Amino acid sequence: MTGLTIGIVGAGVVGQTVGALLVGERWCDCLLIASRTAESSAGLVADLGDMAHVVHAGIRVRAVTVGELDQADAVVLCPRATFTNAATRDVRMAGLAANAPLIAELARIFTGYRRPVVMVTNPVDVLSRLFATLSGAPTYGIGSATDTARYRAALAAHHRVPVSAVHGYVIGEHGDGAVICASTTTVHGAPCTVPLDLVRAELADRPRRINAGIGRTRHGPAAAVLSALRKLLDVEDGTDVLSVNRAGVWLGIRLQIRAGRPTVQPLELDPHETADLLTARTKLEAAYRTISHHEQGASTCL
């Protein structure tokens, strides 16, 4: 499929990186950028336009208001409210109170939108549910896709094999409640030893190293967005790990996506993994309840 239009809400580091990746995609014909200020939107549009000219991409890039994004074939949500996150545990969940009013405001604008929405803003699972509930739009969170990539990288380093040799998933919450599916993980197609303590430590420490070194994660989540868009827009078929509705709670799960249509492919879990997933589900439900009655909260961040 070609000639697609993608909308991006948020001109921060993730929005910038997603935009840069999409400039290089032949199937993307137009980028629509909406941000909290006209200045930031215009700046990103100019920068991406320069990139497109240098690499001879035919893509068009325009600054728009959020209300004009209903013409997009898919929308990426990566805005962030202004707040200081001082948490050392449950770091992603710490942004819930600040980001929920912003996402709720966006959801009301998108009421009736029926094309894919890819959520990046944390806590991604809870905010995907909030946006989907208020807007009715099919909403997919990308957190577990990033976790899965980090898991495979950590295990590949431990076993001294290429990342491509590792087949395994992280599901559930994108955060401290991530569920490592060790019982079904393989290396070169064979069951393998998974040092859970080492892997959990790496999943927790890797984003901290990134934040300490360059200020904020950007390229990993942006690549996860691109992977999801390619499949949800029927550019390619494949498997992804995205946060979707499972019996009323949005959490990361394996999806098989063919012709743009996702089908849940549940993983076989051992008793410990099943218990971990139930714990994650309970936590995400409780977090959603804390903000669901504040849906009318206003934001000045757009």
Side-chain angles (χ1 to χ4, degrees):
M1 182 178 293
T2 58
L4 295 173
T5 296
I6 306 298
I8 300 175
V9 180
V13 294
V14 175
Q16 294 168 23
T17 311
V18 169
L21 289 176
L22 286 169
V23 167
E25 294 291 302
R26 293 183 179 276
W27 51 267
C28 185
D29 181 63
C30 182
L31 286 178
L32 304 178
I33 309 295
S35 186
R36 71 179 69 185
T37 68
E39 183 180 33
S40 59
S41 296
L44 181 53
V45 166
D47 197 30
L48 293 174
D50 288 347
M51 179 184 180
H53 297 325
V54 170
V55 300
H56 305 291
I59 193 169
R60 293 173 288 118
V61 188
R62 293 196 292 119
V64 297
T65 65
V66 172
E68 294 176 275
L69 290 175
D70 59 353
Q71 61 191 288
D73 295 293
V75 173
V76 180
L77 298 181
C78 47
R80 182 182 185 273
T82 302
F83 71 100
T84 299
N85 191 342
T88 57
R89 295 176 59 84
D90 261 346
V91 174
R92 299 174 183 89
M93 196 64 75
L96 180 58
N99 286 327
L102 171 58
I103 296 303
E105 183 180 345
L106 284 169
R108 288 189 288 272
I109 296 172
F110 276 89
T111 299
Y113 187 76
R114 291 295 177 264
R115 295 163 188 154
V117 173
V118 179
M119 178 69 69
V120 183
T121 306
N122 277 318
V124 65
D125 305 293
V126 183
L127 295 182
S128 293
R129 178 180 178 182
L130 179 64
F131 188 89
T133 300
L134 295 181
S135 69
T139 308
Y140 305 85
I142 57 91
S144 293
T146 309
D147 290 336
T148 294
R150 291 170 174 166
Y151 170 51
R152 292 175 179 175
L155 204 55
H158 176 74
H159 286 288
R160 298 183 180 180
V161 299
V163 174
S164 60
V166 179
H167 186 80
Y169 297 91
V170 177
I171 62 173
E173 181 199 0
H174 177 50
D176 291 6
V179 180
I180 298 168
C181 300
S183 64
T184 53
T185 297
T186 61
V187 171
H188 290 304
C192 66
T193 301
V194 177
L196 284 173
D197 288 345
L198 183 152
V199 168
R200 287 195 178 101
E202 173 63 8
L203 288 180
D205 189 58
R206 193 178 187 93
R208 294 191 188 110
R209 294 200 307 272
I210 294 170
N211 291 344
I214 60 173
R216 187 161 299 163
T217 57
R218 61 199 72 191
H219 296 99
V225 168
L226 187 64
S227 174
L229 287 175
R230 284 174 176 168
K231 299 176 182 69
L232 294 169
L233 293 173
D234 193 20
V235 176
E236 65 184 25
D237 293 339
T239 300
D240 224 323
V241 192
L242 301 173
S243 187
V244 296
N245 183 5
R246 293 295 286 158
V249 177
W250 265 248
L251 45 74
I253 201 75
R254 181 176 65 174
L255 300 176
Q256 179 68 42
I257 307 175
R258 296 186 183 278
R261 294 187 293 273
T263 302
V264 171
Q265 288 196 320
L267 291 154
E268 292 185 13
L269 305 178
D270 68 19
H272 293 293
E273 294 160 357
T274 300
D276 287 345
L277 186 60
L278 178 59
T279 298
R281 179 185 179 85
T282 301
K283 176 183 175 183
L284 292 170
E285 171 66 19
Y288 182 78
R289 287 179 181 273
T290 68
I291 51 94
S292 61
H293 62 285
H294 295 302
E295 294 168 1
Q296 301 306 314
S299 171
T300 59
C301 296
L302 291 180

